[in-house]
Amino acid sequence: MQEFDLGPVRASQWLRDFREGHSNWTRWDPRRREYTATPVAYQQADALARQKRTAFLAEMLSPYAPAEVERFSVVPWDLQHPSAKTFSRLNIAIADALQVAFTYASMGHPEPHARTIEPHSLVLAGRRWHVRGYCLETGEFRDFVLGRMCDVRVLDTPRSVDTATDQAWSTIVKVRIEAHPALSPAQQIVVRDEMFRGTAARVEHCRGALLQYMLQELRVAVDPDKQRPPEYQLAVSNPKECKSWLFPN
């Protein structure tokens, strides 16, 4: 009703039409007293998402003749396509302030293991989706990659930790980005013209919890002596204000 500005009668009609047209997409959950999506719905949603990406590319190239399309080359670098069911379960838990249990694996702990969190935000950082929340196992607010989560279950247990206590999330960090000092003067001008519209630097604001992702995505050096061109063409000019929010090495 809120999303499409509908009244109760019109919203009920929409939902009834949807269930009649996609009878295997929803089922009644007597415990939650609401309709929930079925596994079939999530499978077909994932398939539709893939079709949409393909259709978008086709639409972009549609004005061109087949011979002209050969001039274009697309690099399919986006390997992260999180499960629609995982995304939905997390979204429900955030909206209802409930805990979530799941199985997780990470680079530091690659063996699948159980985690329980109190999620508060979904984050698209670069090319990957994360969920931010309080981890009951570690007693800290942490980020979890959706693509590494499985068997996600929304629990009946309500959130116990106030989201406002997530200091890294609530703190906004000012980041001043400049051309890498190891570049030649002429190269620095090239970078400024491309990235900063000719100005000497660019100031961005970012949540402390997301700062590492932003710098990684933009390839910005925090330690210019070690992170050097050509891999890094940008550098942070106020590293002291940023380093406390970066992940430990």
Side-chain angles (χ1 to χ4, degrees):
M1 291 169 60
Q2 180 180 355
E3 182 71 19
F4 296 102
D5 192 23
L6 301 175
V9 175
R10 186 61 172 160
S12 297
Q13 181 182 354
W14 276 30
L15 290 172
R16 184 177 63 252
D17 293 344
F18 177 82
R19 291 197 301 273
E20 291 176 354
H22 303 80
S23 59
N24 61 344
W25 276 41
T26 61
R27 63 187 173 199
W28 178 254
D29 185 339
R31 182 177 60 85
R32 298 180 60 87
R33 298 189 60 80
E34 64 185 15
Y35 283 97
T36 61
T38 64
V40 172
Y42 290 117
Q43 293 169 5
Q44 294 187 9
D46 288 335
L48 288 171
R50 290 192 294 270
Q51 293 174 11
K52 186 175 181 180
R53 287 189 292 270
T54 302
F56 175 76
L57 176 60
E59 182 180 355
M60 292 291 292
L61 299 179
S62 62
Y64 301 94
E68 295 178 301
V69 171
E70 295 180 359
R71 299 200 307 264
F72 300 92
S73 179
V74 178
V75 182
W77 66 83
D78 185 7
L79 305 179
Q80 282 282 325
H81 305 304
S83 161
K85 184 175 183 179
T86 295
F87 195 96
S88 174
R89 297 302 91 183
L90 293 170
N91 192 40
I92 289 175
I94 293 171
D96 294 346
L98 296 173
Q99 293 183 359
V100 171
F102 55 92
T103 302
Y104 195 67
S106 64
M107 297 303 293
H109 192 171
E111 299 80 11
H113 55 282
R115 287 292 181 98
T116 303
I117 67 170
E118 298 178 355
H120 67 67
S121 299
L122 286 161
V123 179
L124 178 59
R127 293 178 292 274
R128 297 200 298 185
W129 278 100
H130 298 72
V131 60
R132 177 80 176 176
Y134 181 78
C135 176
L136 275 68
E137 280 72 26
T138 63
E140 300 175 342
F141 284 97
R142 291 194 174 184
D143 304 332
F144 297 88
V145 181
L146 267 61
R148 296 175 179 175
M149 303 169 67
C150 62
D151 302 325
V152 179
R153 306 181 309 281
V154 180
L155 306 179
D156 292 329
T157 309
R159 183 189 299 158
S160 61
V161 177
D162 187 356
T163 301
T165 61
D166 188 352
Q167 184 181 5
W169 182 262
S170 58
T171 301
I172 304 299
V173 182
K174 183 172 73 172
V175 188
R176 190 173 188 273
I177 303 173
E178 63 180 5
H180 200 292
L183 295 172
S184 70
Q187 289 173 327
Q188 291 185 31
I189 292 175
V190 172
V191 170
R192 291 170 183 169
D193 289 343
E194 177 187 2
M195 305 289 186
F196 312 143
R197 296 184 178 180
T199 60
R202 178 170 178 169
V203 175
E204 295 287 344
H205 293 82
C206 179
R207 294 185 185 274
L210 306 180
L211 181 58
Q212 180 89 40
Y213 303 131
M214 186 189 82
L215 298 181
Q216 286 178 344
E217 182 69 15
L218 298 178
R219 299 291 291 173
V220 181
V222 180
D223 187 347
D225 293 333
K226 295 181 179 179
Q227 300 169 310
R228 299 180 60 81
E231 289 78 10
Y232 293 87
Q233 298 181 7
L234 302 172
V236 173
S237 63
N238 59 334
K240 290 184 179 180
E241 298 176 40
C242 300
K243 283 187 176 179
S244 61
W245 302 108
L246 301 179
F247 301 156
N249 294 326

